[in-house]
Amino acid sequence: GESVGLHLPTLSVQEGDNSIINCAYSNSASDYFIWYKQESGKGPQFIIDIRSNMDKRQGQRVTVLLNKTVKHLSLQIAATQPGDSAVYFCADPQGSARQLTFGSGTQLTVLP
Amino acid sequence: SQTIHQWPATLVQPVGSPLSLECTVEGTSNPNLYWYRQAAGRGLQLLFYSVGIGQISSEVPQNLSASRPQDRQFILSSKKLLLSDSGFYLCAWSAGAPHLYGYTFGSGTRLTVV
């Protein structure tokens, strides 16, 4: 069936390096994607979103890239900091007007 | 501004006991409301959603139920908890269709059934 998933369950990066978290989707009708950050014991927080009419969107230290040809999106975090350690989820309505479907998440660990 | 409140933050309940988790949203009207569960690991599983008072859609058959007695209040309940009901429960709201507005999550309730 259709799904939103992540390539890797864990990612470790050195403090100050850039991080790239990937997400694959299979629903061709997907037109909106959101990245959430979830710190331990807390609810997910919105980071950045992108619509299918865009290839790239930038926020503060974060960039989301969307490749509709291969149905892939990525979250890039520049100059990763210890506070970036969290689980990152991509989410997608998968054609639904009522709910989002979440990937399984990637645990980002920032090493000192 | 809109805020979402979820309580309690943690809860330890014996098997067979009832459950009531409450979620309220402030600063908006007629929100879409959602209950998710996050079991050990990281995935979020949609349990229920509501687009209006008294309107509940269930995504997964289970031991839980949901109610929306007021526009901005969403309650997750169980008559008899099972060990498998343990998890992190998250309430979320959306101003409308999620593909237009996305979700805002509450802070979650950590439920441990013993």
Side-chain angles (χ1 to χ4, degrees):
Chain A
E2 305 283 33
S3 65
V4 175
L6 291 164
H7 289 306
L8 296 172
T10 62
L11 176 66
S12 296
V13 298
Q14 293 293 137
E15 182 177 354
D17 287 352
N18 297 334
S19 303
I20 299 176
I21 301 171
N22 297 301
C23 186
Y25 64 96
S26 56
N27 189 328
S28 300
S30 299
D31 59 0
Y32 181 52
F33 304 89
I34 308 173
W35 282 100
Y36 287 90
K37 171 186 179 183
Q38 186 178 24
E39 297 177 76
S40 181
K42 298 183 180 180
Q45 291 181 297
F46 172 93
I47 302 174
I48 192 168
D49 60 0
I50 189 168
R51 298 197 184 276
S52 59
N53 61 348
M54 303 173 68
D55 297 324
K56 178 180 180 179
R57 191 169 187 210
Q58 289 184 291
Q60 187 177 13
R61 284 201 305 119
V62 295
T63 301
V64 56
L65 300 177
L66 177 62
N67 186 329
K68 294 179 286 294
T69 302
V70 296
K71 298 177 188 171
H72 179 273
L73 69 158
S74 65
L75 176 70
Q76 300 179 5
I77 304 173
T80 311
Q81 302 170 359
D84 295 326
S85 291
V87 177
Y88 290 81
F89 294 95
C90 60
D92 167 26
Q94 291 198 348
S96 169
R98 298 190 178 278
Q99 58 178 278
L100 297 176
T101 298
F102 288 79
S104 55
T106 293
Q107 171 72 61
L108 174 65
T109 301
V110 180
L111 305 173
Chain B
S1 63
Q2 301 89 0
T3 57
I4 179 169
H5 302 280
Q6 191 179 340
W7 68 93
T10 60
L11 191 60
V12 179
Q13 292 283 102
V15 169
S17 64
L19 173 74
S20 181
L21 302 181
E22 189 164 342
C23 172
T24 59
V25 180
E26 295 179 357
T28 188
S29 296
N30 197 32
N32 288 0
L33 296 172
Y34 306 85
W35 279 111
Y36 276 85
R37 176 169 60 199
Q38 192 173 32
R42 299 177 293 266
L44 287 98
Q45 179 187 37
L46 179 63
L47 303 176
F48 301 96
Y49 69 88
S50 171
V51 298
I53 296 175
Q55 300 180 56
I56 308 295
S57 295
S58 175
E59 290 298 303
V60 181
Q62 59 208 316
N63 186 41
L64 302 169
S65 62
S67 61
R68 186 170 176 173
Q70 300 181 43
D71 180 44
R72 291 169 288 177
Q73 183 185 31
F74 205 24
I75 297 172
L76 183 68
S77 304
S78 174
K79 293 182 179 178
K80 290 185 178 181
L81 284 168
L82 306 172
L83 287 174
S84 59
D85 292 323
S86 294
F88 192 50
Y89 288 84
L90 289 157
C91 182
W93 77 275
S94 176
H99 70 287
L100 297 176
Y101 297 98
Y103 288 167
T104 299
F105 284 91
S107 54
T109 295
R110 173 73 61 191
L111 172 66
T112 303
V113 182
V114 296

